[in-house]
Amino acid sequence: SSLMPVDPNPDYSENNMVNLDKFDYGFDDGGTAQMAIAYLARWGGPVNESDDPYPNPDESPTSLAPVKHLQSAEFLYRTAADNDSVKAAVMDYGACYTAFCWDSSNYNSTTFAYYSNTQESANHAVAIVGWDDAFPASSFTVQPPGDGAFLIKNSWGTEWGDKGYFWMSYHTVP
């Protein structure tokens, strides 16, 4: 996402990353930020989507040259009360990776809003792309202790949520 000011429409191959990341996960078994960083830092990619379209499990050309090279990666560790550092990172660098424990019972599909107040192991990764300090607490299935939410880009396609996006309460336990 930090490349978007330079190239506003990048389209990199997810297929290439999942097939050539050199980890032993299956095609639909997910991954981590650390796995993606390893793939990018060793010049495994990214390659253009047009050169290796998704989905094509277990098949990617190995001769494609990366079109960009990772120069640095930063990790931001936040508590549920530390929203300013996340907002600053989105403003400075673009979308921010985060992982959390997805539980469909915490999702309001009418308002596209997610809130959980229990700490459990993360099982889903998404990208924080924006925020709304006035997003109403009443929009969530279980009401959080205050207003405000991060705008999240999910990986489940544009048919899910609000064209692939949803709101996560500031008060969701990380």
Side-chain angles (χ1 to χ4, degrees):
S1 66
S2 64
L3 295 173
M4 291 181 82
V6 177
D7 181 4
N9 296 306
D11 190 8
Y12 303 123
S13 173
E14 297 88 351
N15 199 70
N16 192 269
M17 181 182 286
V18 73
N19 288 331
L20 301 180
D21 65 5
K22 300 199 180 209
F23 291 90
D24 291 334
Y25 282 36
F27 190 79
D28 287 327
D29 290 342
T32 67
Q34 293 82 355
M35 292 167 67
I37 290 169
Y39 163 82
L40 296 168
R42 68 173 170 74
W43 286 59
V47 302
N48 289 317
E49 176 75 14
S50 58
D51 295 329
D52 189 3
Y54 180 90
N56 193 6
D58 302 320
E59 293 189 31
S60 285
T62 58
S63 60
L64 298 174
V67 296
K68 299 287 181 185
H69 183 248
L70 177 71
Q71 299 299 311
S72 67
E74 295 185 31
F75 288 88
L76 174 69
Y77 296 95
R78 76 174 269 275
T79 64
D82 182 20
N83 296 322
D84 290 339
S85 62
V86 175
K87 293 174 186 177
V90 169
M91 291 294 293
D92 291 344
Y93 305 110
C96 293
Y97 164 97
T98 190
F100 68 105
C101 183
W102 171 263
D103 179 339
S104 60
S105 67
N106 296 323
Y107 179 66
N108 183 332
S109 60
T110 303
T111 58
F112 314 110
Y114 186 89
Y115 167 66
S116 174
N117 63 357
T118 59
Q119 189 163 7
E120 297 182 38
S121 295
N123 64 7
H124 189 53
V126 294
I128 300 172
V129 298
W131 64 88
D132 180 352
D133 292 334
F135 194 86
S138 60
S139 299
F140 299 91
T141 302
V142 174
Q143 191 164 334
D147 291 341
F150 289 111
L151 180 61
I152 306 293
K153 179 160 185 349
N154 203 352
S155 60
W156 295 337
T158 57
E159 300 300 313
W160 183 88
D162 185 8
K163 299 182 178 106
Y165 293 82
F166 70 101
W167 293 96
M168 181 184 291
S169 170
Y170 288 161
H171 304 280
T172 294
V173 177

